[in-house]
Amino acid sequence: MNDIILLKQGEIVLKGLNKRAFELRLIQNVQHRLEPYGKFNVYSVQSTIYVEPQDSCDMDGALEACKTVFGINSISRAAACEKDKDAIVKTAISYLGDEMRRAKSFKVESKRSDKSFPMTSIQLSQYVGGELSEAFPDTAVDVRHPELTVNIEIRDYAAYVHGPAIEGAGGMPVGSNGRVVSLLSGGIDSPVSTYMAAKRGVRIIPVHFFSFPYTSELAKEKVISLAQILTKYCGKMTIEIVPFTHIQEEIREKCPEEYFTIIMRRFMMRIAQRIADFNGCKAIITGENLGQVASQTMEAMGVTEKCCHVPVLRPVICFDKNEIIKIARQIGTFETSILPYEDCCTVFTPRHPRTKPRLEDVEELEKALDVEALVKEAVKNIERVTVK
């Protein structure tokens, strides 16, 4: 009996002639994620990724790691055996014996990808079910509402026996849809937006704006911790930490208070665009949520994105706050996000911010600033921190 992990692909199965490229990216991501747990042979056959341990591996750790790999629809830890009905029964009794004893009822479901196998799926299920019923007389057969489902898959190389599948992370393999810049603050929304963007297969370059001494080193460490949490979904990332103090002080000194936030956001977008251009990114991700704060009205967002020539994507734009919090809890960022260390967006917050700014008015006000020099200075002094 050989322990193995079966990973069923998600949206990749719908791809056409480029499907193999997506599969290869997914295999690479799985291999990289499994490196801490031992040596595995990872390969794809019939829209299933096979993860075979090559030596003494941490299979529990590997299974947990696979749960966070985007591109996988379901995960099964299985036992492989020869394609023989009695070998399958023997494997099922040995591999799922404890589960069978704990369950009050069971059924057997079979899938026969290898059509040369002499029994149909129904015949195999009936045979194995009968043998298991004799081996575990205290566990009743219930084909409608079983407590345990014994799964049998007859595939090219072997037969596989496993219990119920575990839900995978879904989405597309990270790196299969290019790269994006993601504005990562210390709040709840932007880590969720970053996670959701990565789920669509993009590789993330996080950008954080840091306003020391108005924001503390603890605020920066908080963002690094958030990025560290996200690496189990996004993979290795390098955070671009942008010094933002001088820009904010210039805005405070030379622009009307009600426009502080909107002009600040436009500087963020300009700098994000420079970083995107340098790294070959095709979009900018933000955690903006429609109507949540003054800078997130449709008018304000329209004015801020005029600084960019790549699309600005907002994954949580129409989410209810409770929906965002639910995802933040699920991915493990919520408790860090609510730590009481403020980010640069809270610096010099106007008492009465302009919620419906006009582009021409904002552009006129920005003439008081040396926009290009301020952007160049900030980009030149970026600090880069790699997390993995």
Side-chain angles (χ1 to χ4, degrees):
M1 182 177 66
N2 299 313
D3 207 5
I4 192 171
I5 298 174
L6 305 178
L7 308 175
K8 303 296 177 66
Q9 297 174 16
E11 294 179 47
I12 294 176
V13 300
L14 303 175
K15 297 298 178 182
L17 297 176
N18 60 348
K19 177 183 175 183
R20 187 57 181 163
F22 287 88
E23 285 184 333
L24 290 174
R25 174 64 66 178
L26 178 55
I27 289 171
Q28 290 173 3
N29 291 351
V30 171
Q31 288 173 326
H32 183 71
R33 201 65 58 87
L34 294 179
E35 285 177 0
Y37 305 102
K39 185 178 180 181
F40 295 86
N41 183 26
V42 183
Y43 57 94
S44 174
V45 179
Q46 293 183 330
S47 299
T48 297
I49 307 292
Y50 294 75
V51 179
E52 291 183 343
Q54 298 298 291
D55 50 25
S56 180
C57 297
D58 179 1
M59 292 295 285
D60 293 333
L63 185 70
E64 288 299 313
C66 288
K67 292 179 183 179
T68 62
V69 178
F70 290 129
I72 297 169
N73 191 49
S74 67
I75 305 165
S76 301
R77 185 169 174 177
C81 64
E82 63 179 292
K83 292 185 281 188
D84 172 80
K85 63 180 183 178
D86 294 319
I88 292 170
V89 169
K90 182 179 178 181
T91 301
I93 292 173
S94 173
Y95 192 67
L96 297 176
D98 291 340
E99 287 85 346
M100 286 291 297
R101 294 183 187 92
R102 286 194 295 265
K104 295 179 180 178
S105 61
F106 81 100
K107 75 170 181 178
V108 178
E109 285 190 355
S110 302
K111 293 181 180 179
R112 188 177 60 124
S113 300
D114 179 5
K115 302 304 181 184
S116 66
F117 188 76
M119 302 173 74
T120 67
S121 297
I122 293 175
Q123 289 171 338
L124 181 59
S125 294
Q126 290 173 339
Y127 179 78
V128 175
E131 295 296 310
L132 290 178
S133 184
E134 288 188 14
F136 303 95
D138 294 332
T139 307
V141 176
D142 183 349
V143 297
R144 293 184 179 275
H145 305 289
E147 193 172 311
L148 173 67
T149 298
V150 176
N151 294 280
I152 300 168
E153 300 186 39
I154 308 298
R155 293 185 164 271
D156 287 5
Y157 302 124
Y160 302 92
V161 178
H162 60 85
I166 303 167
E167 185 178 2
M172 302 289 288
V174 170
S176 64
N177 282 325
R179 287 186 283 185
V180 300
V181 163
S182 184
L183 306 191
L184 186 63
S185 72
I188 297 171
D189 300 346
S190 62
V192 172
S193 287
T194 301
Y195 161 84
M196 293 176 67
K199 189 173 183 177
R200 298 313 306 157
V202 298
R203 193 163 297 285
I204 302 292
I205 297 178
V207 175
H208 177 65
F209 295 91
F210 183 53
S211 295
F212 185 82
Y214 302 106
T215 56
S216 69
E217 285 290 333
L218 290 174
K220 181 168 73 172
E221 291 302 320
K222 173 184 173 181
V223 170
I224 294 172
S225 296
L226 285 169
Q228 184 73 59
I229 294 167
L230 289 169
T231 56
K232 69 178 181 179
Y233 301 100
C234 305
K236 176 182 175 182
M237 298 186 293
T238 298
I239 312 168
E240 308 261 340
I241 301 175
V242 181
F244 208 53
T245 307
H246 187 200
I247 290 174
Q248 288 186 294
E249 290 176 338
E250 285 288 295
I251 295 171
R252 180 184 60 174
E253 181 180 338
K254 298 177 181 178
C255 298
E257 181 184 354
E258 63 266 31
Y259 284 95
F260 281 179
T261 302
I262 195 72
I263 294 175
M264 177 193 73
R265 294 289 296 177
R266 280 169 59 84
F267 270 97
M268 288 180 174
M269 290 297 185
R270 290 186 180 97
I271 293 167
Q273 182 65 69
R274 301 288 175 95
I275 295 170
D277 291 341
F278 182 80
N279 291 280
C281 299
K282 303 303 182 185
I284 295 170
I285 304 295
T286 80
E288 290 169 306
N289 183 252
L290 185 60
Q292 182 171 249
V293 294
S295 64
Q296 294 175 16
T297 63
M298 284 192 283
E299 293 87 351
M301 289 187 289
V303 170
T304 57
E305 68 181 17
K306 289 295 183 181
C307 297
C308 307
H309 57 256
V310 297
V312 178
L313 308 179
R314 302 173 173 93
V316 300
I317 186 71
C318 293
F319 277 39
D320 180 270
K321 191 66 176 182
N322 287 332
E323 293 173 317
I324 299 173
I325 290 173
K326 181 179 179 181
I327 298 174
R329 290 186 186 277
Q330 172 194 324
I331 65 177
T333 57
F334 180 74
E335 295 300 329
T336 302
S337 290
I338 62 173
L339 292 174
Y341 309 128
E342 297 180 330
D343 61 35
C344 72
C345 294
T346 61
V347 176
F348 311 141
T349 303
R351 289 165 294 181
H352 303 290
R354 184 60 63 99
T355 58
K356 296 182 178 181
R358 296 194 311 161
L359 179 61
E360 54 269 31
D361 294 338
V362 175
E363 289 178 335
E364 184 63 30
L365 293 171
E366 287 178 339
K367 290 180 180 179
L369 303 165
D370 191 341
V371 172
E372 182 62 22
L374 289 169
V375 170
K376 282 185 176 180
E377 178 191 11
V379 171
K380 179 182 177 181
N381 292 298
I382 286 175
E383 175 190 359
R384 295 175 176 86
V385 177
T386 298
V387 291
K388 57 182 178 179

